[in-house]
């Protein structure tokens, strides 16, 4: 059973991943990496591959339209330090889909199978694939897709229980996980590892996937933004049957810890700009936080962040 920080474009850089690991994430995944960009060894792609010291359970997630680009990307690349290669067949963003990558692969399970075989043969690593229910309501084919993936050599499957047409709207349709588990029984040693994704916003929702739907692992995505505590809380709920809720002091101190870590890696200016996305989530739900969020949106230095947070907590 693994509690994994999912790949989130624009969020899960090494500072975010390190914070998640400090609070209990057992596995991490790079931001979505273009196989074509990796093949070209672009500077932007290299930055996405950078890891924090001691990050040993990192998965490389790649997206691309067909097996040939994956072969070119991995042929002369040192992938040995990654735990596994994950293939993205779930991203619904138009600029990815229009190239035939991401959730466009849901339209052609055999093409996804070809990619899995190519990655497996090229690297010898474990291979996982993250996918959706289908392209739209008229083409829900996740079971056929899963069968093809496993037949092609996939060791792990991660289902995000929405169609591509849904994007991230509405609710994840958890009932479909029962069908996936029925296809690959938990007591069958030949079954792949099954991971759940979608609407994991609380420890209870993670536990529901693990216990009620018998998934082997859970991926935390939007629910972990500004909330690395969710990993610790989920582990406590699993092991102790209860968990603590971080108070205002802890939430603010961890937000500043995250900011300082990002500044160490990327410099203060970039860190402060990027932190504007995550900082409001650290204080979400705290009384009178709206004025603080407005100040955070303008903060350009660490000192300005601390000053903004102090409006909620004067001990900082």
């Amino acid at each position: 059973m693994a509690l994994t920080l999912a790949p989130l474009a624009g969020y899960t850089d090494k500072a975010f991943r390190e914070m998640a690991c400090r609070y209990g994430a057992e596995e991490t995944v790079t931001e979505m990496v273009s196989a074509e960009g990796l093949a070209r060894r672009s500077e932007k792609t290299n930055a996405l591959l950078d890891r924090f010291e001691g990050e040993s359970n990192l998965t490389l997630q790649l997206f691309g339209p067909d097996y040939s680009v994956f072969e070119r990307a991995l042929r002369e690349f040192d992938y040995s330090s990654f735990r596994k290669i994950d293939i993205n067949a779930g991203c619904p963003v138009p600029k990815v889909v229009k190239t035939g990558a991401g959730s466009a692969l849901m339209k052609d399970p055999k093409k996804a199978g070809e990619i899995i075989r190519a990655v497996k043969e090229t690297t010898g690593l474990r291979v996982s694939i993250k996918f959706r229910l289908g392209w739209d309501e008229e083409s829900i084919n996740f079971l056929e897709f899963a069968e093809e993936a496993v037949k092609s050599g996939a060791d792990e499957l991660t289902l995000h229980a929405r169609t591509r047409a849904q994007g991230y709207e509405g609710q994840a349709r958890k009932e479909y996980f029962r069908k996936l588990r029925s296809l690959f029984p938990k007591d069958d040693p030949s079954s792949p590892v099954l991971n759940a994704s979608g609407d994991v916003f609380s420890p209870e929702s993670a536990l529901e996937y693990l216990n009620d739907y018998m998934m082997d692992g859970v991926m935390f995505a939007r629910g972990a933004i500004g909330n690395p505590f969710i990993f610790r809380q989920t582990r406590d709920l699993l092991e102790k049957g209860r968990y603590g809720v971080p108070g205002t002091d802890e939430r603010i101190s961890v937000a500043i810890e995250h900011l300082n870590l990002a500044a160490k890696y990327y410099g203060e200016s970039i860190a402060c700009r990027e932190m504007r996305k995550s900082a409001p989530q650290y204080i979400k739900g705290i009384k009178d936080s709206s004025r603080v969020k407005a100040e955070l949106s303008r903060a350009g230095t660490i000192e300005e962040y601390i000053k903004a947070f102090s409006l909620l907590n004067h001990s900082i």
Side-chain angles (χ1 to χ4, degrees), residues 44-65:
K44 183 177 180 181
T45 298
N46 288 337
L48 294 176
L49 301 175
D50 198 19
R51 68 182 67 199
F52 65 83
E53 187 176 354
E55 189 175 22
S56 59
N57 265 350
L58 181 63
T59 292
L60 170 61
Q61 191 189 68
L62 295 173
F63 73 96

Side-chain angles (χ1 to χ4, degrees), residues 133-175:
L133 293 176
W135 180 256
D136 55 26
E137 290 301 313
E138 286 67 50
S139 56
I140 292 180
N141 64 338
F142 71 102
L143 292 179
E144 174 196 347
F145 190 93
E147 283 187 303
E148 185 65 34
V150 172
K151 185 174 73 175
S152 302
D155 302 287
E156 297 188 28
L157 306 176
T158 300
L159 175 63
H160 182 103
R162 289 180 173 89
T163 64
R164 186 269 169 179
Q166 281 183 275
Y168 298 100
E169 299 299 320
Q171 293 184 323
R173 290 134 84 180
K174 296 181 180 179
E175 67 273 14

Side-chain angles (χ1 to χ4, degrees), residues 89-310:
C91 180
V93 176
K95 69 178 182 180
V96 171
V97 170
K98 72 180 182 181
T99 68
S103 55
L105 290 174
M106 294 302 303
K107 295 180 176 182
D108 194 342
K110 291 194 180 301
K111 182 180 283 189
E114 290 173 354
I115 293 172
I116 291 167
R117 281 192 293 274
V119 172
K120 194 87 173 176
E121 290 170 5
T122 303
T123 68
L125 294 178
R126 290 178 63 82
V127 175
S128 60
I129 188 162
K130 192 168 187 282
F131 58 104
R132 288 187 171 239
L133 293 176
W135 180 256
D136 55 26
E137 290 301 313
E138 286 67 50
S139 56
I140 292 180
N141 64 338
F142 71 102
L143 292 179
E144 174 196 347
F145 190 93
E147 283 187 303
E148 185 65 34
V150 172
K151 185 174 73 175
S152 302
D155 302 287
E156 297 188 28
L157 306 176
T158 300
L159 175 63
H160 182 103
R162 289 180 173 89
T163 64
R164 186 269 169 179
Q166 281 183 275
Y168 298 100
E169 299 299 320
Q171 293 184 323
R173 290 134 84 180
K174 296 181 180 179
E175 67 273 14
Y176 285 107
F177 286 99
R178 295 195 197 282
K179 294 185 178 182
L180 185 63
R181 176 48 81 190
S182 294
L183 186 63
F184 303 108
K186 201 174 182 72
D187 59 0
D188 184 345
S190 67
S191 290
V193 171
L194 300 184
N195 300 307
S197 173
D199 295 352
V200 189
F201 294 111
S202 69
E204 290 82 2
S205 58
L207 206 64
E208 181 183 16
Y209 277 130
L210 294 170
N211 290 345
D212 297 351
Y213 297 99
M214 296 185 290
M215 294 292 102
D216 300 307
V218 179
M219 274 197 165
F220 298 78
R222 290 174 293 165
I225 297 174
N227 186 27
F229 317 103
I230 197 169
F231 296 99
R232 180 181 69 190
Q233 291 172 325
T234 300
R235 176 60 62 187
D236 284 348
L237 186 60
L238 279 164
E239 296 179 352
K240 305 173 185 177
R242 65 186 187 280
Y243 62 89
V245 177
T248 299
D249 282 3
E250 184 177 12
R251 288 163 72 174
I252 292 173
S253 66
V254 172
I256 293 171
E257 181 184 3
H258 184 168
L259 176 59
N260 282 322
L261 193 59
K264 169 187 169 183
Y265 291 141
Y266 309 114
E268 184 174 6
S269 178
I270 292 174
C272 288
R273 184 177 69 243
E274 291 299 310
M275 192 66 180
R276 290 172 190 163
K277 297 181 292 188
S278 297
Q281 298 301 112
Y282 274 101
I283 59 172
K284 184 178 180 180
I286 295 177
K287 185 180 178 182
D288 301 324
S289 62
S290 57
R291 182 163 66 101
V292 176
K293 289 178 182 178
E295 292 296 322
L296 291 172
S297 70
R298 294 187 288 267
T301 65
I302 293 173
E303 191 59 39
E304 287 173 355
Y305 270 92
I306 293 173
K307 184 177 179 180
F309 281 130
S310 72

